[in-house]
Amino acid sequence: MPLPAPQSDCLSQPESLTLDHLPELNHRHLVTSGSTNSELIDDLQTGALDTTKMHLLTAETQSSGRGQHGRSWQSPHGNVYLSLYHPMPMPISGLLSLIIGLELAKMPVIQMLNEQLRAQGLATIGVKWANDLGFYQLSDKSQNYSRQQDQSTLDDSEPTAQTLPFHKLAGILIETVTQSGKLVGVVMGIGLNVKAAPKLTAQTSEGMSYQAISLQDICECLPPNVVTLPSLCVLYQQMSKALMAAMTRFEHLGIEKPTGHTYYLDGFLQQFAAMDALAGLRLRVTQDYNNKKQVMTGLACGVDTHGCLQLQQDNGKISALFTGRIDVIY
């Protein structure tokens, strides 16, 4: 079936929806799925799908969508729920989710929105370590407050310290696929809020300091008609291409590493720094060690060569963090 024009929603016949220009993806579209990641992984591990080929699964909604660390992902109609399986025998690292985030942030619609947001003096969409797309909108008041305070007098480790919510546009969930104990590939799941942003409560946000936002919400903050959102079909295409580009980039890093050269790694780190949603912000990072919480505060200063968040603490020490809850404080 030929691709419909970009303005078409192209979901009137979901079971027959295909991406004709990307036949190698073996695309299947569902009206609803429990979880596109779970369903794709099950089909791969039971032999229903060939693990040596790429597979793309999309759905109009999910009844049991999943996020990081077992959190739920609310899945109202009008958004993208997409999972792509890519054969890959090499181990994954923390860099993969950041590379995926960067490639998604380079999609045409995100680039156009960022251009307009920048022109309006608003925060732009970036990659938030370690698995999200979105932004923190700093008000003039909070920026001035942050600059004027003597950091030595702030007790940022206290939970009452003022925090800024993260406006979350998309989330990334990466899961490996094994057969007979051997890694055969990776499933990359993306949830992108296009027309509907879930209304999060204290319970549904699961303790995270973020708010959901959609592409439509962002468009409504801009002058009328400056950006026209693409159809879900076009977004499937753009996102699939971004994921394949991310895998190619990650594989290049794996090939490069034994040589001692850092051409591809340096290029990624430079591009990521320009899209880092946490860059220069003051953070409170909460980690769990042996059922005890450990809290660190400091300035975000990028990621290291392994994809760990670098936090410059008040004593000047830089810590590399592999995981943890992030709160932006001011």
Side-chain angles (χ1 to χ4, degrees), residues 89-143:
M90 60 186 289
I92 64 172
S93 73
L95 285 172
L96 180 55
S97 64
L98 301 178
I99 293 172
I100 291 172
L102 179 60
E103 294 298 330
L104 290 172
K106 290 160 62 176
M107 288 175 7
V109 63
I110 304 295
Q111 296 276 350
M112 287 189 293
L113 285 171
N114 276 346
E115 182 180 341
Q116 294 299 323
L117 289 167
R118 200 172 291 113
Q120 299 294 320
L122 300 173
T124 55
I125 301 163
V127 185
K128 174 186 168 288
W129 182 88
N131 307 95
D132 300 318
L133 284 185
F135 57 85
Y136 292 92
Q137 180 65 62
L138 285 168
S139 66
D140 292 338
K141 179 180 178 181
S142 63
Q143 287 179 352

Side-chain angles (χ1 to χ4, degrees), residues 195-206:
K195 295 182 179 179
K199 305 300 181 184
L200 301 181
T201 65
Q203 181 179 3
T204 56
S205 66
E206 299 181 322

